[in-house]
Amino acid sequence: ETGLCHLAAWKIGAVSLPLSALFGIDALRYRLEDSGSKVLIGAGEGLEKIQSLQNELLELEKVIDCDDEKRGFWTLLGQAKAECETLNTFADDPAIVIYTSGTTGPPKGAVLAHRCLLGNLTGFEMSQNFFPRSDDLMWTPADWAWTGGLLDGLIPAWFYGRPVLGYDGGRFDPEKACDLIARYRVRNAFIPPTALKMLRQVDDIRDRGVRIRSVMSAGEALGAQIYEWAEDALGIRINEMWGQ
């Protein structure tokens, strides 16, 4: 129920390329060919798409299936050494490639350097009310293939050693979201305005065990009604952020 694997690919030099499980065949083919990815980790429907392309992706050397109990990701992880050497990287060394949406032409791979991960931390801390605290646990319905889910949720929470709830559940379901937040004691979240508007439809949300400490939202204007609802229903003030 809390499977973490979607799709991720790596180039030479361990540059990560996050891919959305919602991408179609053509979108996956373009990004993997253009990036020259060597290794891919995936699961489920997303991996099935890759397997149908594998003969066309000449630079892709290895595909790892998270669901394969004998040779899959978790088995390989269990075989890893307890200690490993870490590479010394420079601030401008590439860390992640994220592709644009491609609305004005072919998607372009934006290379993010290691310094972007550190530079993003201050905004993350403020947007989550002085993250981290000892009981903090992060969750976001935003896809980890995009900068929102990746840099406003997953990576900074891991940087501080706090757990992240992962859930592969398809389209956003406000009832399911409330259940996840309560059951796993989610304390912090990045929730886009559209999802917050859907959550507002859930009655007596705090009676369901939702005890969230901080919520950041971005992507479009929230509006006064969502602010007021959050203060009344959740007992918090949503931190609205904006980027470029």
Side-chain angles (χ1 to χ4, degrees), residues 163-187:
V164 179
L165 172 63
Y167 177 72
D168 184 8
R171 293 185 179 276
F172 183 79
D173 181 330
E175 294 282 349
K176 186 66 177 178
C178 286
D179 178 64
L180 289 171
I181 292 170
R183 191 191 321 174
Y184 295 103
R185 299 180 183 179
V186 171
R187 297 285 288 155

Tab-separated table of all heavy atoms in Angstrom, residues 163-187:
chain	number	residue	atom	x	y	z
A	163	PRO	N	11.013	10.847	8.105
A	163	PRO	CA	10.362	9.909	7.191
A	163	PRO	C	9.410	10.598	6.218
A	163	PRO	O	8.869	11.668	6.499
A	163	PRO	CB	9.597	8.972	8.132
A	163	PRO	CG	9.390	9.764	9.379
A	163	PRO	CD	10.575	10.669	9.504
A	164	VAL	N	9.231	9.963	5.078
A	164	VAL	CA	8.313	10.438	4.036
A	164	VAL	C	7.335	9.316	3.715
A	164	VAL	O	7.743	8.171	3.477
A	164	VAL	CB	9.073	10.841	2.759
A	164	VAL	CG1	8.105	11.296	1.679
A	164	VAL	CG2	10.092	11.943	3.062
A	165	LEU	N	6.059	9.622	3.723
A	165	LEU	CA	5.040	8.645	3.363
A	165	LEU	C	4.893	8.617	1.848
A	165	LEU	O	4.664	9.646	1.215
A	165	LEU	CB	3.704	9.018	4.005
A	165	LEU	CG	2.481	8.192	3.569
A	165	LEU	CD1	2.651	6.733	3.970
A	165	LEU	CD2	1.205	8.769	4.164
A	166	GLY	N	5.052	7.432	1.273
A	166	GLY	CA	4.855	7.268	-0.162
A	166	GLY	C	3.619	6.426	-0.423
A	166	GLY	O	3.403	5.404	0.240
A	167	TYR	N	2.801	6.870	-1.367
A	167	TYR	CA	1.587	6.111	-1.680
A	167	TYR	C	1.285	6.240	-3.162
A	167	TYR	O	1.177	7.352	-3.685
A	167	TYR	CB	0.399	6.633	-0.864
A	167	TYR	CG	-0.905	5.934	-1.204
A	167	TYR	CD1	-1.120	4.626	-0.797
A	167	TYR	CD2	-1.887	6.567	-1.950
A	167	TYR	CE1	-2.293	3.958	-1.118
A	167	TYR	CE2	-3.067	5.908	-2.273
A	167	TYR	CZ	-3.266	4.617	-1.855
A	167	TYR	OH	-4.422	3.960	-2.182
A	168	ASP	N	1.162	5.123	-3.834
A	168	ASP	CA	0.856	5.105	-5.262
A	168	ASP	C	-0.617	4.751	-5.404
A	168	ASP	O	-0.982	3.584	-5.447
A	168	ASP	CB	1.744	4.065	-5.961
A	168	ASP	CG	1.539	4.060	-7.465
A	168	ASP	OD1	0.831	4.950	-7.971
A	168	ASP	OD2	2.090	3.169	-8.126
A	169	GLY	N	-1.466	5.775	-5.465
A	169	GLY	CA	-2.897	5.511	-5.452
A	169	GLY	C	-3.669	6.105	-6.594
A	169	GLY	O	-4.890	6.250	-6.498
A	170	GLY	N	-2.983	6.491	-7.663
A	170	GLY	CA	-3.698	7.054	-8.806
A	170	GLY	C	-4.172	8.471	-8.530
A	170	GLY	O	-3.515	9.252	-7.858
A	171	ARG	N	-5.337	8.791	-9.034
A	171	ARG	CA	-5.879	10.148	-8.900
A	171	ARG	C	-6.145	10.484	-7.428
A	171	ARG	O	-6.457	9.616	-6.624
A	171	ARG	CB	-7.159	10.300	-9.712
A	171	ARG	CG	-6.936	10.206	-11.216
A	171	ARG	CD	-8.223	10.493	-11.973
A	171	ARG	NE	-8.022	10.440	-13.413
A	171	ARG	CZ	-7.561	11.460	-14.127
A	171	ARG	NH1	-7.267	12.606	-13.526
A	171	ARG	NH2	-7.398	11.344	-15.428
A	172	PHE	N	-6.034	11.772	-7.120
A	172	PHE	CA	-6.214	12.222	-5.740
A	172	PHE	C	-7.628	11.947	-5.256
A	172	PHE	O	-8.614	12.306	-5.904
A	172	PHE	CB	-5.914	13.725	-5.642
A	172	PHE	CG	-6.013	14.264	-4.242
A	172	PHE	CD1	-4.983	14.080	-3.345
A	172	PHE	CD2	-7.162	14.936	-3.820
A	172	PHE	CE1	-5.063	14.559	-2.042
A	172	PHE	CE2	-7.252	15.423	-2.528
A	172	PHE	CZ	-6.201	15.242	-1.637
A	173	ASP	N	-7.724	11.309	-4.097
A	173	ASP	CA	-8.997	10.983	-3.470
A	173	ASP	C	-8.994	11.615	-2.082
A	173	ASP	O	-8.215	11.196	-1.214
A	173	ASP	CB	-9.152	9.459	-3.378
A	173	ASP	CG	-10.482	9.036	-2.753
A	173	ASP	OD1	-11.023	9.780	-1.907
A	173	ASP	OD2	-10.980	7.948	-3.107
A	174	PRO	N	-9.834	12.616	-1.811
A	174	PRO	CA	-9.782	13.305	-0.523
A	174	PRO	C	-10.072	12.401	0.665
A	174	PRO	O	-9.472	12.556	1.734
A	174	PRO	CB	-10.832	14.413	-0.662
A	174	PRO	CG	-11.727	13.969	-1.780
A	174	PRO	CD	-10.852	13.199	-2.703
A	175	GLU	N	-10.973	11.443	0.514
A	175	GLU	CA	-11.272	10.514	1.604
A	175	GLU	C	-10.056	9.646	1.918
A	175	GLU	O	-9.716	9.421	3.079
A	175	GLU	CB	-12.478	9.643	1.245
A	175	GLU	CG	-13.791	10.395	1.105
A	175	GLU	CD	-14.410	10.723	2.456
A	175	GLU	OE1	-13.930	10.195	3.484
A	175	GLU	OE2	-15.376	11.503	2.481
A	176	LYS	N	-9.425	9.137	0.873
A	176	LYS	CA	-8.233	8.313	1.059
A	176	LYS	C	-7.103	9.135	1.651
A	176	LYS	O	-6.348	8.659	2.512
A	176	LYS	CB	-7.796	7.712	-0.286
A	176	LYS	CG	-6.647	6.721	-0.179
A	176	LYS	CD	-7.052	5.483	0.591
A	176	LYS	CE	-5.941	4.462	0.638
A	176	LYS	NZ	-6.311	3.277	1.422
A	177	ALA	N	-6.974	10.391	1.206
A	177	ALA	CA	-5.927	11.262	1.733
A	177	ALA	C	-6.101	11.474	3.229
A	177	ALA	O	-5.128	11.412	3.996
A	177	ALA	CB	-5.944	12.605	1.001
A	178	CYS	N	-7.327	11.702	3.679
A	178	CYS	CA	-7.594	11.867	5.113
A	178	CYS	C	-7.222	10.609	5.885
A	178	CYS	O	-6.645	10.681	6.976
A	178	CYS	CB	-9.067	12.198	5.340
A	178	CYS	SG	-9.509	13.877	4.898
A	179	ASP	N	-7.537	9.461	5.326
A	179	ASP	CA	-7.222	8.187	5.971
A	179	ASP	C	-5.715	8.007	6.112
A	179	ASP	O	-5.218	7.592	7.166
A	179	ASP	CB	-7.822	7.039	5.169
A	179	ASP	CG	-7.486	5.676	5.764
A	179	ASP	OD1	-7.920	5.414	6.902
A	179	ASP	OD2	-6.781	4.895	5.098
A	180	LEU	N	-4.971	8.345	5.047
A	180	LEU	CA	-3.512	8.209	5.079
A	180	LEU	C	-2.896	9.150	6.111
A	180	LEU	O	-2.021	8.757	6.894
A	180	LEU	CB	-2.917	8.506	3.697
A	180	LEU	CG	-3.170	7.483	2.596
A	180	LEU	CD1	-2.705	8.028	1.257
A	180	LEU	CD2	-2.454	6.175	2.905
A	181	ILE	N	-3.350	10.408	6.120
A	181	ILE	CA	-2.810	11.410	7.039
A	181	ILE	C	-3.033	10.978	8.483
A	181	ILE	O	-2.141	11.093	9.326
A	181	ILE	CB	-3.450	12.782	6.770
A	181	ILE	CG1	-2.989	13.319	5.404
A	181	ILE	CG2	-3.092	13.784	7.865
A	181	ILE	CD1	-3.753	14.550	4.940
A	182	ALA	N	-4.226	10.469	8.770
A	182	ALA	CA	-4.542	10.046	10.138
A	182	ALA	C	-3.814	8.750	10.514
A	182	ALA	O	-3.225	8.652	11.595
A	182	ALA	CB	-6.051	9.864	10.278
A	183	ARG	N	-3.842	7.763	9.615
A	183	ARG	CA	-3.296	6.442	9.947
A	183	ARG	C	-1.783	6.481	10.164
A	183	ARG	O	-1.255	5.824	11.065
A	183	ARG	CB	-3.624	5.445	8.845
A	183	ARG	CG	-3.321	4.012	9.248
A	183	ARG	CD	-3.388	3.033	8.115
A	183	ARG	NE	-4.454	3.271	7.170
A	183	ARG	CZ	-4.610	2.572	6.041
A	183	ARG	NH1	-3.739	1.613	5.758
A	183	ARG	NH2	-5.584	2.823	5.206
A	184	TYR	N	-1.086	7.254	9.319
A	184	TYR	CA	0.369	7.284	9.408
A	184	TYR	C	0.890	8.517	10.145
A	184	TYR	O	2.084	8.775	10.157
A	184	TYR	CB	0.978	7.199	7.999
A	184	TYR	CG	0.672	5.879	7.341
A	184	TYR	CD1	-0.319	5.781	6.371
A	184	TYR	CD2	1.344	4.719	7.717
A	184	TYR	CE1	-0.622	4.560	5.778
A	184	TYR	CE2	1.053	3.500	7.127
A	184	TYR	CZ	0.060	3.425	6.153
A	184	TYR	OH	-0.229	2.220	5.573
A	185	ARG	N	-0.009	9.273	10.737
A	185	ARG	CA	0.344	10.430	11.560
A	185	ARG	C	1.191	11.437	10.794
A	185	ARG	O	2.259	11.876	11.255
A	185	ARG	CB	1.056	9.977	12.833
A	185	ARG	CG	0.174	9.073	13.709
A	185	ARG	CD	0.879	8.635	14.966
A	185	ARG	NE	0.052	7.730	15.757
A	185	ARG	CZ	0.419	7.168	16.894
A	185	ARG	NH1	1.626	7.407	17.388
A	185	ARG	NH2	-0.401	6.371	17.556
A	186	VAL	N	0.724	11.779	9.621
A	186	VAL	CA	1.396	12.797	8.810
A	186	VAL	C	1.330	14.133	9.546
A	186	VAL	O	0.272	14.537	10.023
A	186	VAL	CB	0.727	12.911	7.425
A	186	VAL	CG1	1.270	14.122	6.661
A	186	VAL	CG2	0.938	11.626	6.626
A	187	ARG	N	2.467	14.804	9.621
A	187	ARG	CA	2.532	16.082	10.322
A	187	ARG	C	2.781	17.259	9.384
A	187	ARG	O	2.515	18.410	9.737
A	187	ARG	CB	3.649	16.024	11.371
A	187	ARG	CG	3.412	14.995	12.457
A	187	ARG	CD	2.352	15.456	13.438
A	187	ARG	NE	2.868	16.521	14.289
A	187	ARG	CZ	2.111	17.436	14.894
A	187	ARG	NH1	0.807	17.435	14.703
A	187	ARG	NH2	2.649	18.355	15.660
